Amino acid sequence: MGNFTRYIKTKSFRNNIIAAICTVVALLLIAFFSLRFYTKHGQGLNVPQLKGLRIDQAIQKLEEMGLRYEIDSVYMMDKPPGIVTDQDPEAETFVKDNRTIYLTINTSTAPNVKFPEVEEKSLREAKSIIESFGLKLGDTTYKPDIARDVVLGVTFGGQPLKAGEQIPKGSRVNFILGDGRGNEDVDMPNLAGFTIDEARFSLKGSMLKLGTVTYEGVITDSANAVVVNQFPLPSDTVTKVKIGTAVNITLSNKKQ
């Protein structure tokens, strides 16, 4: 113990301690500056604003700044195709050189979606459902039915549309709704002597519809053929029928 105490008081021990401390400090400094050089500490740039640019303009900007990019696409009906709609990282974010910037562009082709089941649902519920599928509500028409504002059918491009059929995302579809008046009665008009166009107009005004059309005898002028019979028949006391009832008529060129 005495020898060790005398040794730590010697010049040789002090020199060894100083050398060890200097070595440790030197290693720490080398590691620190090497790490800064490796990570290019303090060197980088701000990401430019790319949203709203055409994809070729955005790519040119990124390449001039030494940044890489990857591109994905979505379909947005209200934006022109080929426009950058999103970027990651956002504009003005500080990044290192050669960082990858992720771009989302608007594609020109709308993807197809399966039309959902909306029949027998309320107008509000059905509208919410189609909007969740990226579709829009176009026109609404009404037909006689007990339920009010309940979807009875859907059309697209003038054709009936059923659940499960594929249509382009962003399309507008038309609803056929119940008017809530399916149980109401209306007067049956007397169509005798009417041409087919006059009969159709009269029935529409009474919220009825034209049913089967037959002809009696030789028809030489179909435009001027007149109704000689109808079913249901109007009676001396006005006949009441349900709204939407189909009325069958017989046309003839013979004068009654």
Side-chain angles (χ1 to χ4, degrees), residues 189-194 226-230:
N190 188 344
L191 305 177
F194 286 15
V226 297
V227 176
V228 295
N229 196 12
Q230 73 180 81

Side-chain angles (χ1 to χ4, degrees), residues 113-132:
V113 295
K114 283 187 178 181
F115 189 72
E117 179 61 69
V118 296
E119 290 192 20
E120 304 302 325
K121 299 187 183 300
S122 69
L123 173 60
R124 177 178 296 180
E125 184 181 3
K127 184 172 183 289
S128 177
I129 290 172
I130 65 168
E131 287 176 350
S132 71

Side-chain angles (χ1 to χ4, degrees), residues 13 20 59-60 111 116 125 139 201 216:
F13 177 79
I59 289 174
Q60 182 179 355
E125 184 181 3
D139 295 329
F201 181 80
E216 181 181 281

Side-chain angles (χ1 to χ4, degrees), residues 58-77:
I59 289 174
Q60 182 179 355
K61 269 194 173 186
L62 293 174
E63 289 179 343
E64 289 174 352
M65 300 176 71
L67 295 171
R68 294 179 296 170
Y69 58 88
E70 289 188 14
I71 300 173
D72 196 4
S73 63
V74 295
Y75 177 74
M76 302 176 69
M77 190 176 180

Side-chain angles (χ1 to χ4, degrees), residues 28-187:
L28 291 174
L29 289 174
I30 291 171
F32 177 73
F33 286 106
S34 296
L35 185 62
R36 286 173 60 92
F37 176 78
Y38 178 75
T39 60
K40 297 182 180 179
H41 182 72
Q43 297 183 33
L45 67 167
N46 289 328
V47 177
Q49 175 62 263
L50 303 172
K51 289 182 185 178
L53 297 181
R54 296 195 315 270
I55 185 59
D56 58 322
Q57 295 173 323
I59 289 174
Q60 182 179 355
K61 269 194 173 186
L62 293 174
E63 289 179 343
E64 289 174 352
M65 300 176 71
L67 295 171
R68 294 179 296 170
Y69 58 88
E70 289 188 14
I71 300 173
D72 196 4
S73 63
V74 295
Y75 177 74
M76 302 176 69
M77 190 176 180
D78 56 348
K79 292 185 181 296
I83 295 296
V84 177
T85 60
D86 198 11
Q87 66 180 86
D88 183 27
E90 292 289 339
E92 301 304 318
T93 301
F94 186 78
V95 297
K96 302 293 184 185
D97 294 339
N98 208 32
R99 168 72 182 271
T100 298
I101 308 301
Y102 298 91
L103 304 176
T104 303
I105 65 169
N106 189 33
T107 181
S108 59
T109 304
N112 285 338
V113 295
K114 283 187 178 181
F115 189 72
E117 179 61 69
V118 296
E119 290 192 20
E120 304 302 325
K121 299 187 183 300
S122 69
L123 173 60
R124 177 178 296 180
E125 184 181 3
K127 184 172 183 289
S128 177
I129 290 172
I130 65 168
E131 287 176 350
S132 71
F133 279 75
L135 303 171
K136 298 182 179 180
L137 177 60
D139 295 329
T140 55
T141 55
Y142 286 86
K143 63 182 293 187
D145 192 79
I146 297 174
R148 171 73 181 178
D149 283 335
V150 169
V151 179
L152 304 179
V154 184
T155 62
F156 174 66
Q159 300 297 321
L161 181 63
K162 298 297 182 182
E165 293 182 352
Q166 299 268 357
I167 61 173
K169 188 175 182 179
S171 299
R172 289 185 179 274
V173 297
N174 304 318
F175 284 173
I176 301 170
L177 306 171
D179 62 6
R181 302 174 63 185
N183 281 336
E184 291 187 17
D185 292 334
V186 293
D187 295 336

Side-chain angles (χ1 to χ4, degrees), residues 16 30 116 153 245:
N16 288 337
I30 291 171
T245 297

